[in-house]
Amino acid sequence: MTGKGYVVEMGSWKKVGFPDSAITRGIGSCLGIAILNKDEKIGYLGHFIGYPEEEVEFIADLAIKEAGNPGKLEVIVAGNMPVSLEGEDIWINIEFGNRAEIDYNAWLRRMLRERGIKNLFEYLLVYPVNFSYEMEVDTEKLLVDVREEHYEEN
């Protein structure tokens, strides 16, 4: 049995149920988040620009509410967003001078763990890199696949 495949564009998200799948490409300096509830065969996939706290919290809260237990969820995050040293919450953005900013990746980890997410897998790298990510959530195969998309620098 093969379900319908959906494409999640940059700046949006999609919830899919069995046997459907969703894919997004070009996660560079963006954030991709995939949540899979294997028990209910439901997947959530988002591809966001910038620092999308409200969107990510909404998807996480929706998935937790529908699962009834955050321990049932597998969460995968990917992107090349600016990061600091491990455990740090502040980094200096050299490109924009000495302005200190919140390390989005540290916030993301903390927010998900505070909600009870234990199955968290990360593909978070220091930007810039010469590839982006492609993510797919498949409710028929019950998996989330993260692949690197390489490109040549000009």
Side-chain angles (χ1 to χ4, degrees):
M1 180 176 200
T2 302
K4 186 171 181 181
Y6 295 91
V7 175
V8 175
E9 299 294 335
M10 188 181 312
S12 65
W13 69 280
K14 178 78 177 162
K15 174 184 167 184
V16 293
F18 180 81
D20 298 337
S21 64
I23 191 167
T24 191
R25 295 179 176 91
I27 303 168
S29 59
C30 303
L31 173 74
I33 182 168
I35 302 175
L36 183 62
N37 180 336
K38 290 183 178 181
D39 290 350
E40 302 297 325
K41 298 183 179 179
I42 297 172
Y44 311 79
L45 182 64
H47 183 163
F48 301 109
I49 305 164
Y51 300 95
E53 289 93 349
E54 291 179 13
E55 294 91 337
V56 173
E57 287 177 329
F58 175 81
I59 294 171
D61 291 342
L62 177 63
I64 291 166
K65 179 181 177 184
E66 291 180 350
N69 176 354
K72 292 181 177 181
L73 303 176
E74 182 177 302
V75 179
I76 296 87
V77 291
N80 299 320
M81 301 189 69
V83 297
S84 67
L85 300 173
E86 185 65 30
E88 296 284 326
D89 284 346
I90 304 240
W91 68 289
I92 302 301
N93 187 335
I94 295 169
E95 185 176 335
F96 296 104
N98 289 329
R99 186 180 83 208
E101 295 189 13
I102 294 175
D103 179 345
Y104 187 76
N105 295 334
W107 171 84
L108 180 63
R109 287 181 201 105
R110 187 172 47 254
M111 183 273 297
L112 292 169
R113 288 190 180 120
E114 286 173 355
R115 284 169 164 73
I117 301 293
K118 293 180 177 40
N119 300 316
L120 175 61
F121 304 92
E122 300 177 16
Y123 297 84
L124 301 171
L125 298 177
V126 175
Y127 182 81
V129 295
N130 64 348
F131 66 87
S132 58
Y133 289 107
E134 172 182 289
M135 295 179 79
E136 181 177 16
V137 61
D138 189 322
T139 61
E140 185 174 20
K141 296 177 184 173
L142 295 178
L143 64 83
V144 174
D145 192 17
V146 179
R147 296 177 289 276
E148 293 179 3
E149 300 175 305
H150 291 268
Y151 57 88
E152 296 295 322
E153 291 186 38
N154 294 332

